[in-house]
Amino acid sequence: MTFVAIVGLWSLSVSVFEVPSYLLPAPGAVFSLLIAEAPMLWANTKVTLLEILLGFGLTLLTAIPLGLVIALSPLAKQVLYPPAMLLQLVPKIAMAPLFLVWFGFGIESKVILTLLMTFFPLLIASISGFQILDARLLYLTRSMGANTWQTFRYLRVPAALPVIFSGIKTSATIAATAAIVAEFVGANEGLGYVLLRGTSTMNIELTFAVLVILTVIGLAINYLVEFSEWLLAPWQRKLK
């Protein structure tokens, strides 16, 4: 209903204030273009989705285990955390042209930029999540005879999951932006490429159509993460 209300307000504003179509097209024109150009838009959407999924997937596979190692090992914190922090301080968007030189105009440069832009928020959330456990609970479980694996499986992981999922939500939001920015720098396909083409030719309907698709992608990713949290952390359901 919120989405319908936004579209209704958009349409009403265009009609009441007589906004020219080259500044703000009406929703009907945008959705008509979505239907007319559906094959082209879908082909480019698949490219951007693949970049997002690969880059964000690599983030999940690397940031969470590394966060666990840094959280539980003082030596790993001294050795691994400073380089990660240094990497975070380097502007990723400024490095995008370098990725084109190093990896070319293919999907590799987009995936790597997506990985780098989404990595640090999830790493910080993972470290915080695995360190959030009260030490008294660890003493309690050990006194009850729990071994290291049981403590990790039934105590540390459940305590960390809510914090980790907060980081996943943040990183997932950044992933779509990272893929689009990478396509802005250099690409011949993808939604970022279509967006640049629309603005360069003053095809504002096409630009808004791409924005609608990106909004849907963002919503889909967010709901997927929330469903995963609902599935993996059932004890959190009563808190929402």
Side-chain angles (χ1 to χ4, degrees):
M1 292 181 65
T2 302
F3 180 76
V4 172
I6 292 173
V7 174
L9 182 61
W10 173 10
S11 179
L12 183 64
S13 300
V14 171
S15 301
V16 171
F17 297 104
E18 299 181 350
V19 182
S21 60
Y22 61 84
L23 292 179
L24 182 64
V30 174
F31 289 113
S32 296
L33 188 140
L34 278 170
I35 296 173
E37 299 290 343
M40 181 273 292
L41 291 172
W42 173 239
N44 286 279
T45 299
K46 289 191 293 184
V47 174
T48 302
L49 272 176
L50 182 60
E51 296 165 358
I52 293 171
L53 294 176
L54 289 177
F56 187 55
L58 288 173
T59 296
L60 293 175
L61 292 175
T62 54
I64 297 176
L66 185 60
L68 173 63
V69 172
I70 292 175
L72 301 185
S73 171
L75 178 61
K77 186 174 183 179
Q78 293 178 354
V79 174
L80 299 177
Y81 187 73
M85 177 63 73
L86 180 63
L87 184 63
Q88 171 63 15
L89 295 176
V90 178
K92 309 301 181 303
I93 297 177
M95 294 178 63
L98 284 176
F99 294 152
L100 290 179
V101 175
W102 293 339
F103 305 105
F105 283 81
I107 194 174
E108 293 84 359
S109 57
K110 285 74 174 176
V111 171
I112 292 174
L113 183 60
T114 303
L115 167 63
L116 290 179
M117 290 185 68
T118 57
F119 179 82
F120 197 75
L122 184 53
L123 176 65
I124 293 298
S126 300
I127 295 173
S128 301
F130 288 119
Q131 289 180 335
I132 202 173
L133 190 62
D134 193 333
R136 291 173 296 182
L137 293 175
L138 291 174
Y139 294 137
L140 177 62
T141 54
R142 288 170 185 167
S143 67
M144 297 173 65
N147 58 35
T148 303
W149 167 248
Q150 289 172 326
T151 302
F152 177 77
R153 168 66 180 83
Y154 296 106
L155 190 61
R156 192 175 292 278
V157 170
L161 277 180
V163 182
I164 292 175
F165 270 106
S166 297
I168 291 176
K169 291 176 184 177
T170 303
S171 295
T173 304
I174 300 173
T177 303
I180 295 299
V181 169
E183 291 174 351
F184 281 169
V185 176
N188 53 13
E189 57 183 352
L191 291 177
Y193 168 75
V194 177
L195 193 61
L196 281 180
R197 193 178 69 186
T199 53
S200 63
T201 59
M202 292 300 292
N203 190 345
I204 306 302
E205 288 86 358
L206 180 60
T207 301
F208 272 83
V210 173
L211 293 178
V212 169
I213 295 173
L214 289 174
T215 301
V216 172
I217 291 175
L219 288 172
I221 293 175
N222 183 70
Y223 281 124
L224 181 60
V225 173
E226 288 193 350
F227 175 73
S228 300
E229 183 179 12
W230 180 87
L231 196 65
L232 296 176
W235 59 91
Q236 288 290 108
R237 299 171 192 173
K238 296 181 180 180
L239 303 178
K240 297 184 178 181

